[in-house]
Structures are given as C-alpha cells and as structure tokens.
Amino acid sequence: MQYNIQFDALDEENQNNGRLFPVSKDSQNGEHTVANGMVMPVLPIRNMVLYPGVLLPIAVARPKSQKLVRTAYEDEKLIAVCCQKNQDVKDPTFSDLYMIGTAARVIRTFDMPDGGITIILEGIERIMLGEAESDNEFLKAKVMP
C-alpha cells in the first residue's frame, strides 16, 4: 500500500538543508489558555502520557473519541487528555480516568485505511478534571488549570 503525503510547510531552504519543519505555525503564540471552570471534551488515552509542550501522535479507534477529535479539530478547540487507570476498559467513564491531565490542541488528523484516525496532539497546559458534564456524544468536564 502506498501513501502520498504533501508537505506544503516545507520551504526551499528547509528542503535543501534537511532541517525539521514546524508542525504548527502558531504553537507558541498563547492563543489557547485554560480558564477555571472551562468545559472541555475529555479524551481518554491508554499506555501514554501527554505533557505540556510536547507533540504526541495517537491512534484513535473508539467512535466517541473520533467524533470528539474531529469536532475539536474543526472548531479549533482545546481538549482535556487524561490517562485511563486500567487500559483494558473499552468504554471509560470519569471514574476510570486519572483526574490530572493535560489540555491539548489537535494539530493534525490523518484518516487511516482501517477506519481509525491518527492525530497529533500538542500539550498546552496541565489541568485537573472537575465536575463531569453530561453529554451523550463524548465525555465532557469542567477543568481547572
């Protein structure tokens, strides 16, 4: 199977000298901040931790999580990324998550041939989950920086 990927962000200087190109044009401009009590969608992840200032590729297979990621990417909204306590839980609830996580921005999404998506997240700020908000689409919670 062959994939064709275009790198529009590569300019002639970077192509010639082999330097890395930025994944995000505005990753450090301070546009995204977390306010106390802000409601954010919560993305549960397994077997990894996202830290502020780090870029992390993640494969997203759960339909709820895919909807969350696509919505956040299209609306350019932050999401809360929290680790699952038990990686074997298929459909985690708030009690299955650690309450400390990271506010993140979805930088890129890639549709995969198997129906899943791979995303690149940028950790923005450390957060703590507060009160859960009821939403049938995906998990949401009030967060505190």
Side-chain angles (χ1 to χ4, degrees):
M1 188 174 289
Q2 183 178 1
Y3 298 100
N4 293 323
I5 300 174
Q6 278 187 298
F7 292 101
D8 297 332
L10 285 175
D11 59 16
E12 188 174 315
E13 177 186 341
N14 286 334
Q15 286 177 0
N16 292 335
N17 65 17
R19 288 190 205 157
L20 296 175
F21 63 95
V23 175
S24 171
K25 292 180 183 176
D26 60 348
S27 62
Q28 298 297 326
N29 66 0
E31 278 185 22
H32 299 286
T33 58
V34 178
N36 198 18
M38 181 179 190
V39 176
M40 297 173 83
V42 179
L43 178 66
I45 61 174
R46 305 177 227 200
N47 298 330
M48 59 183 74
V49 178
L50 175 65
Y51 292 99
V54 172
L55 296 176
L56 183 68
I58 297 177
V60 181
R62 294 182 188 122
K64 282 183 179 182
S65 295
Q66 287 181 357
K67 183 167 178 70
L68 177 156
V69 166
R70 289 183 197 283
T71 301
Y73 183 69
E74 290 167 5
D75 297 342
E76 297 181 4
K77 300 287 184 185
L78 293 180
I79 62 174
V81 179
C82 294
C83 297
Q84 288 182 213
K85 294 175 184 175
N86 180 350
Q87 68 179 358
D88 297 327
V89 176
K90 301 273 189 232
D91 192 17
T93 62
F94 284 101
S95 62
D96 298 316
L97 302 176
Y98 289 104
M99 293 294 108
I100 302 294
T102 303
R105 185 166 65 110
V106 180
I107 301 277
R108 297 270 193 267
T109 64
F110 303 96
D111 292 319
M112 304 311 280
D114 64 357
I117 58 175
T118 296
I119 62 173
I120 298 176
L121 292 176
E122 176 187 23
I124 303 294
E125 185 176 348
R126 188 173 163 198
I127 53 110
M128 185 168 86
L129 295 182
E131 181 181 335
E133 296 283 317
S134 64
D135 192 327
N136 294 333
E137 292 181 314
F138 40 76
L139 300 175
K140 285 187 179 181
K142 290 184 181 177
V143 300
M144 295 163 278

